[in-house]
Amino acid sequence: MRLRDWALDDRCYAVRLGASLMGVKLPTVTDDSALESGPALELVDDVLHGSLDILKRLVTLPDVLQEWNSGTDAMTWAANALDSFSIMRRTVMLASLPVENPAQLAMPLMGEIEDRLAENRLDGRCWVSGDHPGVADIMLFPVVALSQDLEVPLDLYPAVRNFMRHFKALPGFITMPGVPECH
Amino acid sequence: MTGWFPVALTMDVPAGTAAPARLSGKEIALWRGVDGEIHAWEDRCPHRGMRLSFGFVRNGNLACLYHGWQFGADSTCRHIPAHPELRVPGTIRATAYQVQERCGMIWVSLDETPSLSHLPEGEASGVRSLLVQVPLQTARTSLNMEASNWKQQDNCLFAVHEPAVGLTMLHVASWTVAGQREAARQAVQLRDRLEAIKETVLA
C-alpha cells in the first residue's frame, strides 16, 4: 500500500492526516498528477482515487481500532466541502496574477461550515461525526485550517476556531506547510 | 469610536487561549489566563508587530509567537527569551483596552468610557456568534436596537458589533438552556433575511 502524494495539496493532506490519526503507516511517493487529480492509494491489485474513498478504506484496516466512521451524509458533505475548497485554493494559489479579495470566494463555504459546527455545539458535540472525530472531520480540517491561504479572517468564525483547537489536540495530529501546530 | 462593544462570546475564549477580534477594523487580541481573567489588547506585539492573538498563554503571560516576548496580565513585558537576564524596562508594554464580561459576552471599550452599565443582570450563556454580511446599521435597525448595540428579547440577549465596514457580527446569549435553540434559529433567520434583501438590492 502506497500513497501517490503531493505535499502541498489539501486533499493529499487529508489522507496523510487521517492515516496519522488512525496510526496507519502510509508510505508516500511524490506524484505530479496528485496536484491536479488528488491523492491515489496504490493497493496490491487496485488503485483507489480521492480522499473519501481512501479514508474509508483506511478505516477498515485491521490495525485501526478506534471508530473513525462518520455518517454517510456527513462524509459526503465534508467531501464536497473539501473538493470545492480545493478548487478555490488551487485557483487562487496557481493564478499567474494575485486574485482580488480571495476570501470572498471561500466565505459562503466557511459560513456553511460555521453553521453546522455551531449547531453541533448547541448539542454539546464538537465533531461533525457526532461524539467522536471521524472521516468527515478529517476531510473538513484542511478546509478550515488552510482557509488562511485565501485570507479568510477567522475572527468571523468562532465555531470553526473551536473545532480547529479540538482537532489539533488529537493524538497523532500532523501539520503541513500552512497549517501550524499551534493556532 | 466610543462606548462598549460586544466582540465575542465568553465561551469562545477558553482559559489558556488567545483569539482574534476586530472592532471597526481595529485588530484586538483577546486572551484568557488560566486564572480565568480575560484581557483585550491591541493585536500587535510592540517588538516586531506580530499579531499577539497568534501567541501562547504561558505562566500567566501572553507570549508572542514570533520571538517569545512574554507580557503579563498588566500588559508589561516580563520576559525576553533572547535576553533572559535582562530586567525588562516597564515602558515596553502591549496596548491594553478596557474589557468586561457580562451576559456571556466579552465587551471591549477602546477609550475611557466609564464602566459598562445598563446591561441586564444574571449569568447568561453564550449561544453562538454569526456573521451577517450587511452594514451594522442595517442589522441594528432590523433588530430594533435604538441607540444601543444590544437588545433583550424574552430570555435572550442579541448584541452586535462591526468587525469591518459592511460586516456585522451578531452575538446571541440566553439565560435559559431551553431558549438557546430558538435564539439561534431566530439569529440564523434574521441573517438569511438580511443577506437575501441585500442580494436583491444589489441585483
Side-chain angles (χ1 to χ4, degrees), chain A residues 104 107-108 111-112 114-116 118-123 125 148 153-159 161-162 165 182-183, chain B residues 11-12 14 17-22 53-56 65 127-131 133 163 167 169 180-181 184 188 191:
Chain A
Q104 210 57 42
M107 282 170 75
E112 189 185 328
E114 172 77 14
D115 277 357
R116 186 152 183 156
E119 277 175 30
N120 283 351
R121 225 174 158 192
L122 280 175
D123 295 332
R125 294 181 282 122
Q148 302 269 290
L154 285 181
D155 62 306
L156 306 178
Y157 304 103
R161 291 202 314 269
N162 180 57
R165 191 168 51 245
C182 55
H183 298 287
Chain B
M11 70 178 188
D12 286 327
T17 67
R22 281 178 295 162
S53 59
F54 285 160
F56 307 91
L65 179 73
V127 174
R128 69 168 295 192
S129 297
L130 68 167
L131 171 66
Q133 297 195 54
L167 300 179
M169 281 298 277
Q180 290 186 350
R181 286 212 156 273
V188 168
R191 177 200 62 193

Short mmCIF file of all heavy atoms in Angstrom, two decimals, chain A residues 104 107-108 111-112 114-116 118-123 125 148 153-159 161-162 165 182-183, chain B residues 11-12 14 17-22 53-56 65 127-131 133 163 167 169 180-181 184 188 191:
data_model
loop_
_atom_site.label_atom_id
_atom_site.label_comp_id
_atom_site.label_asym_id
_atom_site.label_seq_id
_atom_site.Cartn_x
_atom_site.Cartn_y
_atom_site.Cartn_z
N GLN A 104 -13.55 36.29 -0.34
CA GLN A 104 -14.93 36.33 -0.79
C GLN A 104 -15.35 35.02 -1.46
O GLN A 104 -16.50 34.61 -1.40
CB GLN A 104 -15.13 37.51 -1.75
CG GLN A 104 -16.52 38.10 -1.73
CD GLN A 104 -16.97 38.58 -0.34
OE1 GLN A 104 -16.19 39.19 0.40
NE2 GLN A 104 -18.20 38.27 0.04
N MET A 107 -15.92 32.46 1.60
CA MET A 107 -16.77 32.80 2.74
C MET A 107 -18.14 32.10 2.74
O MET A 107 -18.62 31.71 3.81
CB MET A 107 -16.89 34.31 2.91
CG MET A 107 -15.63 34.86 3.58
SD MET A 107 -15.48 36.63 3.62
CE MET A 107 -16.65 37.09 4.88
N PRO A 108 -18.78 31.87 1.59
CA PRO A 108 -20.04 31.11 1.65
C PRO A 108 -19.83 29.70 2.21
O PRO A 108 -20.62 29.22 3.04
CB PRO A 108 -20.50 31.06 0.19
CG PRO A 108 -19.87 32.25 -0.44
CD PRO A 108 -18.54 32.42 0.24
N GLY A 111 -19.17 29.91 5.91
CA GLY A 111 -20.42 30.18 6.63
C GLY A 111 -21.22 28.90 6.83
O GLY A 111 -21.78 28.67 7.91
N GLU A 112 -21.24 28.08 5.80
CA GLU A 112 -21.97 26.81 5.88
C GLU A 112 -21.33 25.90 6.95
O GLU A 112 -22.03 25.27 7.75
CB GLU A 112 -21.91 26.14 4.51
CG GLU A 112 -22.78 24.93 4.35
CD GLU A 112 -22.56 24.27 2.99
OE1 GLU A 112 -22.26 24.98 2.00
OE2 GLU A 112 -22.66 23.04 2.93
N GLU A 114 -19.45 26.90 9.48
CA GLU A 114 -19.66 27.53 10.78
C GLU A 114 -21.05 27.18 11.31
O GLU A 114 -21.20 26.85 12.49
CB GLU A 114 -19.48 29.05 10.64
CG GLU A 114 -19.85 29.87 11.87
CD GLU A 114 -18.81 29.83 12.98
OE1 GLU A 114 -17.68 29.38 12.72
OE2 GLU A 114 -19.15 30.24 14.11
N ASP A 115 -22.06 27.27 10.45
CA ASP A 115 -23.43 26.97 10.88
C ASP A 115 -23.54 25.53 11.40
O ASP A 115 -24.14 25.27 12.44
CB ASP A 115 -24.40 27.14 9.70
CG ASP A 115 -24.82 28.59 9.52
OD1 ASP A 115 -24.41 29.43 10.33
OD2 ASP A 115 -25.54 28.87 8.55
N ARG A 116 -22.95 24.62 10.65
CA ARG A 116 -23.06 23.20 11.04
C ARG A 116 -22.35 22.95 12.37
O ARG A 116 -22.86 22.26 13.26
CB ARG A 116 -22.45 22.33 9.94
CG ARG A 116 -22.66 20.87 10.19
CD ARG A 116 -22.70 20.10 8.90
NE ARG A 116 -22.97 18.69 9.18
CZ ARG A 116 -23.50 17.86 8.31
NH1 ARG A 116 -23.84 18.28 7.12
NH2 ARG A 116 -23.70 16.59 8.61
N ALA A 118 -21.69 25.17 14.68
CA ALA A 118 -22.38 25.89 15.77
C ALA A 118 -23.61 25.10 16.22
O ALA A 118 -23.91 25.04 17.42
CB ALA A 118 -22.78 27.28 15.30
N GLU A 119 -24.31 24.49 15.27
CA GLU A 119 -25.47 23.67 15.64
C GLU A 119 -25.04 22.46 16.47
O GLU A 119 -25.65 22.13 17.48
CB GLU A 119 -26.19 23.18 14.38
CG GLU A 119 -27.16 24.19 13.81
CD GLU A 119 -27.76 23.73 12.49
OE1 GLU A 119 -27.90 22.52 12.32
OE2 GLU A 119 -28.06 24.60 11.66
N ASN A 120 -23.95 21.82 16.03
CA ASN A 120 -23.42 20.68 16.80
C ASN A 120 -23.07 21.10 18.22
O ASN A 120 -23.28 20.37 19.18
CB ASN A 120 -22.14 20.14 16.14
CG ASN A 120 -22.45 19.31 14.92
OD1 ASN A 120 -23.60 19.00 14.66
ND2 ASN A 120 -21.43 18.96 14.17
N ARG A 121 -22.51 22.29 18.31
CA ARG A 121 -22.06 22.78 19.61
C ARG A 121 -23.24 22.95 20.57
O ARG A 121 -23.11 22.70 21.77
CB ARG A 121 -21.38 24.13 19.39
CG ARG A 121 -20.09 24.30 20.13
CD ARG A 121 -19.46 25.58 19.72
NE ARG A 121 -18.52 26.02 20.73
CZ ARG A 121 -17.99 27.22 20.73
NH1 ARG A 121 -18.30 28.08 19.80
NH2 ARG A 121 -17.13 27.55 21.67
N LEU A 122 -24.36 23.37 20.02
CA LEU A 122 -25.55 23.51 20.86
C LEU A 122 -25.99 22.16 21.41
O LEU A 122 -26.63 22.08 22.46
CB LEU A 122 -26.70 24.13 20.06
CG LEU A 122 -26.65 25.64 19.87
CD1 LEU A 122 -27.77 26.11 18.96
CD2 LEU A 122 -26.73 26.37 21.20
N ASP A 123 -25.65 21.10 20.69
CA ASP A 123 -25.97 19.74 21.17
C ASP A 123 -24.84 19.19 22.04
O ASP A 123 -24.86 18.01 22.40
CB ASP A 123 -26.16 18.79 19.97
CG ASP A 123 -27.37 19.16 19.15
OD1 ASP A 123 -28.29 19.74 19.72
OD2 ASP A 123 -27.37 18.88 17.94
N ARG A 125 -21.73 18.78 21.05
CA ARG A 125 -20.78 17.99 20.27
C ARG A 125 -19.87 18.93 19.50
O ARG A 125 -20.32 19.94 18.97
CB ARG A 125 -21.52 17.09 19.27
CG ARG A 125 -22.35 16.01 19.93
CD ARG A 125 -23.05 15.14 18.91
NE ARG A 125 -24.23 15.79 18.37
CZ ARG A 125 -24.42 16.03 17.07
NH1 ARG A 125 -23.51 15.68 16.19
NH2 ARG A 125 -25.51 16.62 16.66
N GLN A 148 -6.81 30.17 5.53
CA GLN A 148 -5.92 31.35 5.64
C GLN A 148 -5.20 31.62 4.32
O GLN A 148 -4.82 32.75 4.05
CB GLN A 148 -4.89 31.13 6.74
CG GLN A 148 -5.47 30.85 8.11
CD GLN A 148 -5.68 32.09 8.93
OE1 GLN A 148 -4.73 32.71 9.37
NE2 GLN A 148 -6.92 32.47 9.13
N PRO A 153 -10.72 35.75 7.24
CA PRO A 153 -10.47 36.19 8.63
C PRO A 153 -11.20 35.29 9.61
O PRO A 153 -12.42 35.25 9.63
CB PRO A 153 -11.03 37.62 8.66
CG PRO A 153 -11.89 37.76 7.46
CD PRO A 153 -11.68 36.61 6.53
N LEU A 154 -10.45 34.58 10.43
CA LEU A 154 -11.06 33.59 11.32
C LEU A 154 -11.76 34.21 12.53
O LEU A 154 -12.45 33.50 13.25
CB LEU A 154 -10.01 32.57 11.77
CG LEU A 154 -9.63 31.53 10.70
CD1 LEU A 154 -8.60 30.56 11.23
CD2 LEU A 154 -10.85 30.77 10.19
N ASP A 155 -11.60 35.51 12.73
CA ASP A 155 -12.35 36.12 13.84
C ASP A 155 -13.86 36.08 13.55
O ASP A 155 -14.66 36.21 14.47
CB ASP A 155 -11.90 37.56 14.11
CG ASP A 155 -12.13 38.48 12.92
OD1 ASP A 155 -11.66 38.13 11.81
OD2 ASP A 155 -12.77 39.54 13.08
N LEU A 156 -14.23 35.86 12.29
CA LEU A 156 -15.65 35.82 11.93
C LEU A 156 -16.26 34.43 12.12
O LEU A 156 -17.45 34.26 11.94
CB LEU A 156 -15.82 36.25 10.45
CG LEU A 156 -15.20 37.59 10.06
CD1 LEU A 156 -15.41 37.86 8.58
CD2 LEU A 156 -15.80 38.73 10.88
N TYR A 157 -15.44 33.46 12.46
CA TYR A 157 -15.93 32.07 12.52
C TYR A 157 -15.50 31.39 13.83
O TYR A 157 -14.61 30.53 13.85
CB TYR A 157 -15.41 31.29 11.31
CG TYR A 157 -15.80 31.94 10.00
CD1 TYR A 157 -14.89 32.67 9.26
CD2 TYR A 157 -17.11 31.86 9.54
CE1 TYR A 157 -15.26 33.30 8.07
CE2 TYR A 157 -17.50 32.48 8.37
CZ TYR A 157 -16.57 33.20 7.64
OH TYR A 157 -16.95 33.82 6.48
N PRO A 158 -16.14 31.75 14.95
CA PRO A 158 -15.71 31.20 16.26
C PRO A 158 -15.90 29.69 16.40
O PRO A 158 -15.08 29.03 17.03
CB PRO A 158 -16.58 31.96 17.27
CG PRO A 158 -17.67 32.59 16.50
CD PRO A 158 -17.19 32.77 15.09
N ALA A 159 -16.96 29.13 15.81
CA ALA A 159 -17.17 27.68 15.94
C ALA A 159 -16.09 26.93 15.16
O ALA A 159 -15.66 25.85 15.57
CB ALA A 159 -18.56 27.29 15.45
N ARG A 161 -13.00 28.03 14.81
CA ARG A 161 -11.79 28.12 15.65
C ARG A 161 -11.85 27.07 16.76
O ARG A 161 -10.85 26.43 17.10
CB ARG A 161 -11.65 29.51 16.26
CG ARG A 161 -11.33 30.62 15.28
CD ARG A 161 -10.68 31.80 16.00
NE ARG A 161 -11.34 32.18 17.22
CZ ARG A 161 -12.32 33.09 17.30
NH1 ARG A 161 -12.75 33.71 16.23
NH2 ARG A 161 -12.88 33.38 18.46
N ASN A 162 -13.04 26.90 17.32
CA ASN A 162 -13.22 25.91 18.39
C ASN A 162 -12.94 24.50 17.86
O ASN A 162 -12.24 23.71 18.51
CB ASN A 162 -14.66 26.03 18.91
CG ASN A 162 -14.96 25.05 20.01
OD1 ASN A 162 -14.29 25.04 21.03
ND2 ASN A 162 -15.95 24.21 19.81
N ARG A 165 -9.19 24.01 17.33
CA ARG A 165 -8.47 23.84 18.60
C ARG A 165 -8.60 22.40 19.11
O ARG A 165 -7.62 21.79 19.51
CB ARG A 165 -9.02 24.84 19.62
CG ARG A 165 -8.21 24.95 20.89
CD ARG A 165 -8.62 26.14 21.74
NE ARG A 165 -10.05 26.20 21.99
CZ ARG A 165 -10.86 27.17 21.55
NH1 ARG A 165 -10.36 28.17 20.87
NH2 ARG A 165 -12.15 27.14 21.82
N CYS A 182 0.30 25.04 16.32
CA CYS A 182 -0.49 25.88 17.20
C CYS A 182 -1.37 26.77 16.31
O CYS A 182 -1.03 27.02 15.17
CB CYS A 182 0.40 26.76 18.04
SG CYS A 182 1.51 27.73 17.05
N HIS A 183 -2.49 27.20 16.80
CA HIS A 183 -3.41 28.14 16.11
C HIS A 183 -3.91 27.67 14.77
O HIS A 183 -3.28 27.19 13.94
CB HIS A 183 -2.78 29.51 15.97
CG HIS A 183 -2.50 30.10 17.31
ND1 HIS A 183 -3.47 30.58 18.12
CD2 HIS A 183 -1.36 30.18 18.00
CE1 HIS A 183 -2.93 30.97 19.26
NE2 HIS A 183 -1.66 30.74 19.22
N MET B 11 -17.57 31.99 25.92
CA MET B 11 -17.20 30.59 25.68
C MET B 11 -16.22 30.43 24.52
O MET B 11 -15.60 29.38 24.38
CB MET B 11 -18.45 29.76 25.41
CG MET B 11 -19.12 30.05 24.08
SD MET B 11 -20.56 28.96 23.88
CE MET B 11 -21.01 29.32 22.18
N ASP B 12 -16.06 31.46 23.70
CA ASP B 12 -15.18 31.34 22.55
C ASP B 12 -13.72 31.72 22.85
O ASP B 12 -12.87 31.69 21.96
CB ASP B 12 -15.72 32.17 21.38
CG ASP B 12 -16.93 31.50 20.74
OD1 ASP B 12 -16.94 30.25 20.73
OD2 ASP B 12 -17.84 32.19 20.29
N PRO B 14 -11.62 30.22 25.68
CA PRO B 14 -11.42 29.41 26.89
C PRO B 14 -10.13 29.78 27.63
O PRO B 14 -9.25 30.43 27.05
CB PRO B 14 -11.32 27.98 26.35
CG PRO B 14 -11.69 28.02 24.91
CD PRO B 14 -11.50 29.43 24.45
N THR B 17 -6.10 30.39 26.31
CA THR B 17 -6.06 30.56 24.85
C THR B 17 -6.13 32.04 24.48
O THR B 17 -6.50 32.89 25.29
CB THR B 17 -7.24 29.85 24.15
OG1 THR B 17 -8.46 30.50 24.51
CG2 THR B 17 -7.32 28.38 24.53
N ALA B 18 -5.77 32.32 23.23
CA ALA B 18 -5.88 33.67 22.67
C ALA B 18 -6.74 33.58 21.41
O ALA B 18 -6.78 32.53 20.76
CB ALA B 18 -4.50 34.22 22.35
N ALA B 19 -7.41 34.67 21.09
CA ALA B 19 -8.29 34.67 19.91
C ALA B 19 -8.29 36.06 19.29
O ALA B 19 -8.15 37.06 20.01
CB ALA B 19 -9.70 34.27 20.30
N PRO B 20 -8.47 36.14 17.98
CA PRO B 20 -8.52 37.45 17.34
C PRO B 20 -9.94 38.03 17.35
O PRO B 20 -10.91 37.29 17.38
CB PRO B 20 -8.10 37.13 15.89
CG PRO B 20 -8.62 35.74 15.67
CD PRO B 20 -8.58 35.03 17.00
N ALA B 21 -10.01 39.34 17.32
CA ALA B 21 -11.31 40.03 17.14
C ALA B 21 -11.00 41.32 16.40
O ALA B 21 -9.85 41.77 16.38
CB ALA B 21 -11.96 40.31 18.49
N ARG B 22 -12.01 41.89 15.79
CA ARG B 22 -11.84 43.21 15.15
C ARG B 22 -13.03 44.08 15.53
O ARG B 22 -14.13 43.59 15.68
CB ARG B 22 -11.79 43.08 13.63
CG ARG B 22 -10.45 42.63 13.09
CD ARG B 22 -10.49 42.48 11.59
NE ARG B 22 -11.40 41.42 11.21
CZ ARG B 22 -11.91 41.27 9.98
NH1 ARG B 22 -11.60 42.14 9.03
NH2 ARG B 22 -12.72 40.27 9.70
N SER B 53 -2.55 37.73 18.95
CA SER B 53 -3.58 36.67 19.01
C SER B 53 -3.06 35.34 18.48
O SER B 53 -3.70 34.31 18.65
CB SER B 53 -4.83 37.09 18.23
OG SER B 53 -4.51 37.35 16.88
N PHE B 54 -1.89 35.34 17.83
CA PHE B 54 -1.25 34.09 17.42
C PHE B 54 -0.43 33.49 18.57
O PHE B 54 0.17 32.44 18.42
CB PHE B 54 -0.30 34.32 16.24
CG PHE B 54 -0.98 34.53 14.91
CD1 PHE B 54 -0.30 35.15 13.86
CD2 PHE B 54 -2.27 34.09 14.70
CE1 PHE B 54 -0.92 35.33 12.63
CE2 PHE B 54 -2.89 34.28 13.47
CZ PHE B 54 -2.22 34.90 12.43
N GLY B 55 -0.38 34.23 19.69
CA GLY B 55 0.54 33.85 20.77
C GLY B 55 0.03 32.71 21.64
O GLY B 55 -1.05 32.15 21.43
N PHE B 56 0.84 32.39 22.65
CA PHE B 56 0.51 31.31 23.60
C PHE B 56 0.37 31.90 24.99
O PHE B 56 1.07 32.84 25.34
CB PHE B 56 1.66 30.31 23.72
CG PHE B 56 2.13 29.75 22.43
CD1 PHE B 56 3.16 30.36 21.74
CD2 PHE B 56 1.57 28.61 21.93
CE1 PHE B 56 3.63 29.84 20.55
CE2 PHE B 56 2.02 28.08 20.74
CZ PHE B 56 3.05 28.69 20.04
N LEU B 65 4.21 34.80 19.39
CA LEU B 65 4.64 33.64 18.60
C LEU B 65 6.00 33.85 17.94
O LEU B 65 6.75 32.91 17.72
CB LEU B 65 3.57 33.40 17.51
CG LEU B 65 3.81 32.26 16.55
CD1 LEU B 65 3.60 30.92 17.24
CD2 LEU B 65 2.88 32.36 15.35
N VAL B 127 -24.71 31.49 23.14
CA VAL B 127 -25.36 30.54 22.23
C VAL B 127 -24.51 30.39 20.98
O VAL B 127 -24.02 29.31 20.66
CB VAL B 127 -26.79 31.00 21.87
CG1 VAL B 127 -27.41 30.09 20.81
CG2 VAL B 127 -27.66 31.05 23.11
N ARG B 128 -24.33 31.48 20.27
CA ARG B 128 -23.41 31.48 19.13
C ARG B 128 -23.22 32.91 18.64
O ARG B 128 -24.01 33.79 18.95
CB ARG B 128 -23.90 30.58 17.98
CG ARG B 128 -25.13 31.06 17.25
CD ARG B 128 -25.36 30.27 15.96
NE ARG B 128 -24.29 30.49 14.98
CZ ARG B 128 -24.35 30.11 13.71
NH1 ARG B 128 -25.42 29.48 13.26
NH2 ARG B 128 -23.35 30.34 12.88
N SER B 129 -22.16 33.11 17.88
CA SER B 129 -21.94 34.37 17.17
C SER B 129 -22.02 34.03 15.69
O SER B 129 -21.55 32.98 15.27
CB SER B 129 -20.55 34.94 17.47
OG SER B 129 -20.41 35.24 18.82
N LEU B 130 -22.62 34.92 14.93
CA LEU B 130 -22.64 34.64 13.49
C LEU B 130 -22.45 35.90 12.67
O LEU B 130 -22.83 37.00 13.09
CB LEU B 130 -23.88 33.88 13.06
CG LEU B 130 -25.25 34.52 13.09
CD1 LEU B 130 -26.23 33.65 12.31
CD2 LEU B 130 -25.73 34.64 14.51
N LEU B 131 -21.81 35.68 11.54
CA LEU B 131 -21.52 36.78 10.63
C LEU B 131 -22.76 37.10 9.81
O LEU B 131 -23.39 36.21 9.26
CB LEU B 131 -20.38 36.35 9.70
CG LEU B 131 -20.07 37.28 8.53
CD1 LEU B 131 -19.52 38.62 9.02
CD2 LEU B 131 -19.06 36.62 7.58
N GLN B 133 -23.55 39.55 6.63
CA GLN B 133 -22.81 40.39 5.68
C GLN B 133 -23.65 41.58 5.23
O GLN B 133 -23.98 41.73 4.04
CB GLN B 133 -22.33 39.55 4.49
CG GLN B 133 -21.35 38.47 4.96
CD GLN B 133 -20.59 37.85 3.80
OE1 GLN B 133 -19.97 38.53 3.00
NE2 GLN B 133 -20.63 36.54 3.71
N PRO B 163 -17.07 44.17 12.81
CA PRO B 163 -15.64 43.84 12.70
C PRO B 163 -14.94 44.67 11.62
O PRO B 163 -13.79 45.08 11.79
CB PRO B 163 -15.64 42.35 12.33
CG PRO B 163 -17.03 42.03 11.89
CD PRO B 163 -17.95 43.06 12.43
N LEU B 167 -19.75 44.68 7.48
CA LEU B 167 -19.96 43.38 8.12
C LEU B 167 -20.48 43.59 9.54
O LEU B 167 -20.08 44.54 10.22
CB LEU B 167 -18.66 42.58 8.19
CG LEU B 167 -17.96 42.22 6.88
CD1 LEU B 167 -16.69 41.45 7.18
CD2 LEU B 167 -18.87 41.43 5.97
N MET B 169 -21.21 41.29 13.20
CA MET B 169 -21.23 40.04 13.97
C MET B 169 -22.39 40.14 14.95
O MET B 169 -22.49 41.09 15.72
CB MET B 169 -19.93 39.84 14.74
CG MET B 169 -18.77 39.34 13.91
SD MET B 169 -19.04 37.72 13.15
CE MET B 169 -18.60 36.62 14.49
N GLN B 180 -32.04 28.43 24.08
CA GLN B 180 -30.86 28.55 23.22
C GLN B 180 -31.16 28.23 21.76
O GLN B 180 -30.77 28.97 20.86
CB GLN B 180 -29.75 27.63 23.73
CG GLN B 180 -29.17 28.12 25.05
CD GLN B 180 -27.96 27.31 25.49
OE1 GLN B 180 -27.66 26.27 24.91
NE2 GLN B 180 -27.27 27.78 26.49
N ARG B 181 -31.84 27.12 21.53
CA ARG B 181 -32.10 26.70 20.13
C ARG B 181 -32.97 27.73 19.40
O ARG B 181 -32.72 28.06 18.25
CB ARG B 181 -32.80 25.34 20.12
CG ARG B 181 -31.88 24.22 20.45
CD ARG B 181 -32.28 22.94 19.74
NE ARG B 181 -31.13 22.08 19.61
CZ ARG B 181 -30.27 22.14 18.60
NH1 ARG B 181 -30.44 23.02 17.64
NH2 ARG B 181 -29.25 21.34 18.54
N ALA B 184 -30.92 30.77 18.58
CA ALA B 184 -30.02 30.51 17.45
C ALA B 184 -30.82 30.50 16.14
O ALA B 184 -30.37 31.04 15.12
CB ALA B 184 -29.31 29.17 17.65
N VAL B 188 -30.22 32.99 12.88
CA VAL B 188 -29.95 32.50 11.53
C VAL B 188 -31.00 33.03 10.55
O VAL B 188 -30.69 33.47 9.44
CB VAL B 188 -29.91 30.95 11.51
CG1 VAL B 188 -29.91 30.42 10.09
CG2 VAL B 188 -28.69 30.45 12.26
N ARG B 191 -30.29 36.64 9.81
CA ARG B 191 -29.14 36.75 8.90
C ARG B 191 -29.55 36.43 7.46
O ARG B 191 -29.25 37.20 6.54
CB ARG B 191 -28.03 35.80 9.33
CG ARG B 191 -26.84 35.82 8.37
CD ARG B 191 -25.99 34.58 8.50
NE ARG B 191 -26.72 33.38 8.17
CZ ARG B 191 -26.28 32.14 8.43
NH1 ARG B 191 -25.15 31.97 9.02
NH2 ARG B 191 -27.01 31.08 8.09
#
